[in-house]
Amino acid sequence: MSSIEELAAQARDAAEGSYSPYSEFRVGAVIVAADGSRYTGANVENAAFGSSMCAEATAIGQAVASGVRKIDTVAVACIDAVGNPGFPCGNCRQLMVEFGVETVIVDGPDGPVVYPLTALLPHSFGPEDL
Ligand code: ZN
């Protein structure tokens, strides 16, 4: 199993921890920090929908709260997506820019696909723009 497939599998495992009673769309994410450490997250929904958190956001929050400031890779998997891969939302792509994510692995029905973050969020606004 390649590291890409391993990370996608870990993201699928993380999705099992999802709290998604409203969408029934379980999403998991794995963060690989620059030092190689990994952090997982799952989406956490709320009856006040705007208070819901994406899997990528919960994983990034856990990593940053643990002292991580540079993230190399994010792997994401939606185990309830039908026919299409579950790409990170725009807000999560912006969160990834903040911590220098280079690679995003998106799991899907045909297996995981690797994207540079610059392809998912071109012309982004980041810390270097201030
Ligand atoms: Zn998101």
Side-chain angles (χ1 to χ4, degrees):
M1 181 181 290
S2 75
S3 61
I4 293 167
E5 291 168 338
E6 179 195 348
L7 285 167
Q10 191 174 7
R12 288 193 298 272
D13 287 346
E16 297 289 346
S18 167
Y19 175 74
S20 46
Y22 307 107
S23 73
E24 298 182 348
F25 217 65
R26 294 171 294 170
V27 182
V30 180
I31 301 303
V32 182
D35 67 0
S37 59
R38 294 185 185 185
Y39 300 84
T40 60
N43 56 328
V44 179
E45 294 183 346
N46 192 284
F49 294 163
S51 298
S52 297
M53 296 178 284
C54 294
E56 303 92 315
T58 62
I60 290 171
Q62 186 180 151
V64 172
S66 298
V68 169
R69 296 295 180 266
K70 171 69 177 82
I71 297 170
D72 288 342
T73 301
V74 175
V76 61
C78 179
I79 59 176
D80 296 310
V82 178
N84 296 307
F87 281 88
C89 76
N91 186 61
C92 287
R93 295 176 196 195
Q94 182 63 42
L95 291 175
M96 292 178 199
V97 167
E98 183 74 18
F99 297 101
V101 171
E102 297 164 12
T103 303
V104 181
I105 299 169
V106 181
D107 193 38
D110 298 324
V113 178
V114 179
Y115 299 90
L117 180 57
T118 53
L120 299 180
L121 190 62
H123 311 290
S124 64
F125 183 86
E128 68 281 357
D129 296 310
L130 295 176

